[in-house]
Amino acid sequence: MQHADATIPAPLRAALENFTGGSVDAAIILGSGLGDFASRLDCQRSISTQELPGYPRSTVPGHAGKLHLCRSGNERLLLFQGRVHGYEGYTPEETILPVRIAAALGARRLLVTNAAGGLHPSFDAGDLMLIRDVLPLPVSQLLPLERLFPSEHGPRHTPLLSSSLMNTARSASDASGVALREGVYAYAAGPSYETPAEIAFYRLAGADAVGMSTVPELFAARHAGLQTLGISCITNKSVTVRQRVSHDEVTSVAARVSEDFSRLVLSILSRW
Ligand code: HPA
């Protein structure tokens, strides 16, 4: 994790170490409208990310910009409530900072969550989807992959997502009774929602859901050697004729699903 370590500026690193008072075991990044999960965990400390020097400020409603230090069983967990996106004007380094922080503080496992539009015809608003694979189309143009993830500092060709954590999520779904769909998450740069032609294109390309985050974080997590799991909350259908979707709709569906989402994630945490 030496490289990830080196990328955290010293004042930020000092503030984080002061906040956590030592290393953490795992981290969770909570997507649009899913921040409520923080209240379901036993969190000892919370801080607004505005108090962390150099930490980028979220400009999107539904992203609280808080960091929590929580306990789950014997594990110390770092919970990022809210994230920043490339479409807000942040640099690639800023968008992947939570992953680098998690790795620098010693995390071995990462759960990334997001709100996404459902492309698979059988998906409905309110479904939860295990991210089985990703379609990172714009990332290869938008992320300077060689600069961010030099091959001498970490793996670049191994799978982005952990198949053993996927099995854990499937068992957690069975045990908690919370249904979990599975599919491929396509990365769209945003901030506009997709045109009908893009929706048709993503669907043809094999994607089941589409969203504007997560994939850069998965590249960073792989490079830092984290075992990673991804879960999408399908907040709207994007199938054929696209009705207008608004960010309010996205956050309100995510809030409605938050009870199921929390039960599923607690079940994952108890067995990963
Ligand atoms: N498209 C992209 N991102 C999203 C969507 C969508 O339909 N819904 C929630 N996030």
Side-chain angles (χ1 to χ4, degrees):
M1 285 342 96
Q2 218 176 11
H3 180 63
D5 226 89
T7 60
I8 311 287
L12 176 57
R13 209 193 146 98
L16 287 163
E17 282 173 353
N18 184 40
F19 173 66
T20 57
S23 64
V24 301
D25 299 292
I28 303 181
I29 300 174
L30 294 171
S32 286
L34 299 170
D36 186 47
F37 178 68
S39 65
R40 310 297 174 99
L41 278 183
D42 170 19
C43 297
Q44 289 96 48
R45 307 190 70 182
S46 302
I47 190 173
S48 160
T49 52
Q50 300 202 15
E51 292 174 48
L52 296 171
Y55 196 97
R57 312 238 178 298
S58 177
T59 63
V60 183
H63 289 264
K66 285 197 178 143
L67 191 58
H68 307 274
L69 179 69
C70 312
R71 181 156 288 287
S72 157
N74 291 329
E75 295 207 310
R76 302 182 89 219
L77 262 183
L78 202 55
L79 203 63
F80 293 87
Q81 190 179 1
R83 56 157 65 86
V84 300
H85 308 78
Y87 66 73
E88 295 173 74
Y90 287 111
T91 63
E93 282 86 350
E94 286 168 318
T95 65
I96 62 176
L97 188 58
V99 178
R100 290 193 155 160
I101 287 174
L105 292 174
R108 310 285 306 280
R109 265 170 274 116
L110 174 70
L111 168 63
V112 283
T113 68
N114 58 47
L119 296 168
H120 192 285
S122 76
F123 285 5
D124 263 326
D127 283 348
L128 294 170
M129 184 191 89
L130 170 67
I131 303 177
R132 206 174 41 218
D133 199 358
V134 291
L135 193 62
L137 287 176
V139 164
S140 45
Q141 281 118 53
L142 298 178
L143 282 190
L145 294 171
E146 180 57 39
R147 188 187 85 216
L148 286 175
F149 311 122
S151 52
E152 65 271 28
H153 292 304
R156 286 199 310 200
H157 302 292
T158 49
L160 286 167
L161 292 150
S162 156
S163 48
S164 99
L165 287 185
M166 286 186 212
N167 284 334
T168 304
R170 293 178 184 118
S171 310
S173 159
D174 288 345
S176 63
V178 177
L180 188 57
R181 311 287 206 136
E182 295 196 16
V184 173
Y185 174 94
Y187 177 68
S192 308
Y193 292 109
E194 302 68 43
T195 65
E198 284 175 296
I199 291 169
F201 171 73
Y202 284 127
R203 188 70 200 124
L204 262 180
D208 301 295
V210 55
M212 305 172 193
S213 68
T214 300
V215 176
E217 294 158 15
L218 297 183
F219 277 88
R222 169 173 66 186
H223 196 244
L226 299 180
Q227 259 205 308
T228 305
L229 177 68
I231 294 181
S232 294
C233 172
I234 305 297
T235 52
N236 53 281
K237 255 168 127 58
S238 321
V239 187
T240 43
V241 179
R242 179 59 176 279
Q243 278 136 13
R244 280 187 57 210
V245 58
S246 68
H247 188 67
D248 283 353
E249 183 188 342
V250 166
T251 49
S252 82
V253 173
R256 175 159 65 71
V257 187
S258 98
E259 179 63 42
D260 279 354
F261 173 81
S262 298
R263 280 215 334 269
L264 177 70
V265 175
L266 288 174
S267 178
I268 291 170
L269 293 180
S270 70
R271 62 194 78 228
W272 74 353

